[in-house]
Amino acid sequence: MNEEILTPVLDILDVVGIAIFALSGAVIAAKERQTFVTMAFFALVTGVGGGTVRDLLIDAPVFWITDPWVAAICLATALFAWFTPTRFWEGKLFEIADGAGLAAYAVLGAAKATAYGIPPVPAALMGIITGCVGGIIRDVVAGRPSVIMRPELYVTAAALSASLTVAGMLAAPHFGLLNIAVWGTAFAAGYALRVAAVVWQISLPSYRESPAKKGAE
């Protein structure tokens, strides 16, 4: 791995993503009136799920196995959720906070994949996987509708952050750009799109079967 990727900026994005997703997992378990052990499990699975799949796909050491702080952050987040009322984590405010984790993880995943020499399109997909898979695993285990089935933009926001990260990092050496500026811009763009989607319920057009196809059946 290119050691230049290990910067304080990406470390901050990593912690933000882990903590927010771990919190979302713990809160889901709390709303289901589960034990602390279950809350901790949900926090860990949600916090590390996307990054684990990414690392396995790009043949990297699984990040939370080599970094002892990751599991500790997830457990501490579960403990925090245990002592706070679930009403604190309801409504659009929590979804907006979740958007920060989504954008942070999308940037981190795409940046790490690019540093490992993954081609641009798969690298961007690694960013999307990092940002979305943890929430998908959480929802499947909890028996809830998946987060990616929500009408407002979610995967699209992750795709925007991931794509800008990959494009910016590839262009940086040729245009004198700093990676820190690329990551910051990519995070801000994805987060802004997610916030706009939550506040104004922005969504992509859904599939509509034409009357001609229905009549032909």
Side-chain angles (χ1 to χ4, degrees), residues 109-110 113-114 117-129 159 162-163 166-167 170:
T114 300
I118 305 300
V121 174
L125 291 175
M126 291 303 102
I128 297 171
I129 286 172
S163 299
V166 174
L170 292 177

Side-chain angles (χ1 to χ4, degrees), residues 28 32 135-151:
I28 292 299
E32 297 294 330
I136 295 172
I137 296 174
R138 173 200 65 205
D139 293 338
V140 169
V141 174
R144 304 170 70 249
S146 175
V147 65
I148 64 173
M149 301 301 289
R150 294 177 183 173

Side-chain angles (χ1 to χ4, degrees), residues 21-23 25-26 38-48 74-75 77-78:
F21 281 133
L23 179 61
T38 303
M39 288 178 64
F41 173 79
F42 268 73
L44 181 64
V45 168
T46 310
V48 307
C74 292
L75 294 177
T77 304

Side-chain angles (χ1 to χ4, degrees), residues 74-148:
C74 292
L75 294 177
T77 304
L79 187 64
F80 174 71
W82 178 262
F83 288 106
T84 56
T86 57
R87 67 175 183 273
F88 287 3
W89 316 114
E90 295 178 347
K92 290 184 177 180
L93 183 60
F94 185 66
E95 292 187 15
I96 290 173
D98 181 76
L102 176 69
Y105 251 16
V107 171
L108 176 67
K112 185 172 183 177
T114 300
Y116 267 82
I118 305 300
V121 174
L125 291 175
M126 291 303 102
I128 297 171
I129 286 172
T130 306
C132 298
V133 166
I136 295 172
I137 296 174
R138 173 200 65 205
D139 293 338
V140 169
V141 174
R144 304 170 70 249
S146 175
V147 65
I148 64 173

